[in-house]
Amino acid sequence: MNTIYDLFSVNDYNSGLGLISFHPLVSVVDLSKAVMPKRTDEYAVRYHFYGIFLKQGVNCIISYGRQKYDYQEGTLVFVGPGQVVNIKPLDNPEPMAGYALIFHPDLLRGTHLGKTIDDYSFFSYALHEALHISQIERGIVLDCFEKIENELTERLDQHSKTVIVSTIELFLNYCKRFYDRQFITRDMMNEGVVECFDSALKSYIKSGQAKKEGIPSVSYFAEAQNLSSKYFGDLVKKETGKTAQEFIQLKLIEAAKNQFHDPEISISEIAYGLGFKYPQHFTRLFKKQVGVSPKEFREFIN
């Protein structure tokens, strides 16, 4: 098992690269000025703050879970508090270049972004689900970074926190837009993910796996396609207009309807067969989705 190094503060990150911190809770890092520690062993880093990395050059291979990712020009990688990233140094690394924005959760306390930061689900995406940006988008990213850096190095005053946090929020909203664009431009791949989801869900129900193991979770299908639950859920929502959980529920209801024609199968048996531990939970969901109870629906169609 790799040694895990905890980075608790912005200064922990900067000092490890031989850089100065101008603010204890936020920093814009020019990675070309950083001094990468010389080591050959593979190790892991656990971040206790938010980090967004726009790196150029390949000086190491990083992995999160089972997925490996070597930085490429024109990608943004997001890391949230608590994430552990494995790092494997290369024998002949290129000089490190690019930029990073790191900020501690304490910076957001009492702000609007502090209340909404969890809405930016890409902080929970896996590394291989990084955001690939165009040259124009890269310019927007660097402009936001420059505005924050100017506040940190030229005019720290009573307004700085508001300006910095507002700029971070603006930047994250741009990233939401860029991810939406990425979902759209990768339509063919995305459709394949949803098709596999639909097929795997139908198979899960028909094979009797639902009766044996219960209602499937979103993470079950995400892991089957080597995707994080957050990325998978956002992708399904973009493609279908429904959350992944709603999609699962919809298919369960459809499977139930197909069995109502057989009077030999009780509603309780149908519920158990679809993975519901308690039939009343199935009845509650069915009525919410269809507008009538399973018993009433069965009477209507028979």
Side-chain angles (χ1 to χ4, degrees):
M1 181 177 180
N2 297 334
T3 302
I4 298 178
Y5 297 93
D6 284 282
L7 297 179
F8 293 101
S9 68
V10 167
N11 190 59
D12 286 345
Y13 180 85
N14 283 336
S15 62
L17 297 176
L19 300 172
I20 297 173
S21 298
F22 293 97
H23 192 287
L25 299 178
V26 58
S27 183
V28 174
V29 182
D30 183 345
L31 294 169
S32 66
K33 298 177 181 178
V35 179
M36 190 73 177
K38 292 183 178 180
R39 53 188 307 163
T40 58
D41 59 313
E42 191 169 346
Y43 61 100
V45 173
R46 177 163 42 227
Y47 294 87
H48 292 264
F49 45 78
Y50 295 95
I52 303 100
F53 303 91
L54 174 61
K55 294 184 70 175
Q56 298 167 225
V58 181
N59 47 51
C60 64
I61 295 177
I62 63 175
S63 61
Y64 178 60
R66 294 170 293 176
Q67 295 297 322
K68 286 184 168 52
Y69 180 79
D70 55 340
Y71 281 112
Q72 301 173 11
E73 186 173 356
T75 58
L76 280 174
V77 175
F78 299 82
V79 177
Q83 283 193 354
V84 176
V85 176
N86 296 304
I87 301 174
K88 181 179 181 180
L90 297 177
D91 294 332
N92 298 298
E94 299 176 14
M96 187 156 56
Y99 298 88
L101 168 64
I102 57 176
F103 57 95
H104 197 276
D106 286 348
L107 178 72
L108 310 182
R109 296 190 187 281
T111 69
H112 177 264
L113 182 56
K115 299 176 182 177
T116 61
I117 188 66
D118 290 341
D119 294 341
Y120 299 95
S121 53
F122 39 75
F123 281 109
S124 298
Y125 288 176
L127 291 173
H128 69 294
E129 297 157 352
L131 174 60
H132 301 269
I133 57 176
S134 67
Q135 281 296 317
I136 293 176
E137 292 168 347
R138 187 175 187 274
I140 293 173
V141 169
L142 293 178
D143 181 61
C144 290
F145 284 9
E146 183 179 7
K147 285 181 169 61
I148 296 170
E149 185 176 27
N150 287 342
E151 284 294 323
L152 293 172
T153 58
E154 296 181 12
R155 55 174 76 87
L156 273 176
D157 56 29
Q158 68 269 29
H159 303 290
S160 293
K161 177 179 177 178
T162 300
V163 173
I164 290 170
V165 173
S166 295
T167 306
I168 292 174
E169 187 167 15
L170 174 65
F171 164 68
L172 295 178
N173 285 329
Y174 271 120
C175 291
K176 269 190 173 182
R177 170 184 282 179
F178 299 159
Y179 256 117
D180 282 350
R181 184 267 310 150
Q182 180 163 297
F183 284 135
I184 292 171
T185 55
R186 295 184 171 193
D187 265 349
M188 185 173 294
M189 181 185 72
N190 295 346
E191 288 175 3
V193 169
V194 175
E195 287 175 1
C196 286
F197 177 31
D198 184 43
S199 177
L201 178 54
K202 289 177 180 177
S203 176
Y204 187 95
I205 295 170
K206 289 182 179 179
S207 67
Q209 195 171 351
K211 182 177 182 179
K212 181 179 178 181
E213 300 183 21
I215 298 172
S217 65
V218 173
S219 62
Y220 172 87
F221 296 105
E223 289 173 7
Q225 299 197 53
N226 291 320
L227 297 173
S228 67
S229 295
K230 288 286 189 181
Y231 188 91
F232 178 77
D234 288 348
L235 191 154
V236 171
K237 183 69 180 290
K238 297 294 180 187
E239 288 296 311
T240 68
K242 296 179 175 59
T243 67
Q245 187 62 46
E246 289 171 342
F247 191 87
I248 291 172
Q249 292 174 348
L250 178 64
K251 295 301 178 181
L252 291 173
I253 296 300
E254 288 180 358
K257 288 180 178 178
N258 291 334
Q259 299 181 64
F260 283 155
H261 291 283
D262 187 348
E264 300 298 320
I265 306 176
S266 70
I267 292 175
S268 293
E269 288 174 325
I270 293 174
Y272 291 132
L274 294 174
F276 288 87
K277 190 174 181 180
Y278 303 105
Q280 56 266 37
H281 291 173
F282 164 70
T283 298
R284 190 179 303 118
L285 175 64
F286 190 94
K287 189 168 185 178
K288 179 182 177 182
Q289 295 285 344
V290 182
V292 296
S293 70
K295 181 180 178 181
E296 291 171 324
F297 184 86
R298 171 173 263 177
E299 291 173 350
F300 290 153
I301 63 174
N302 290 328

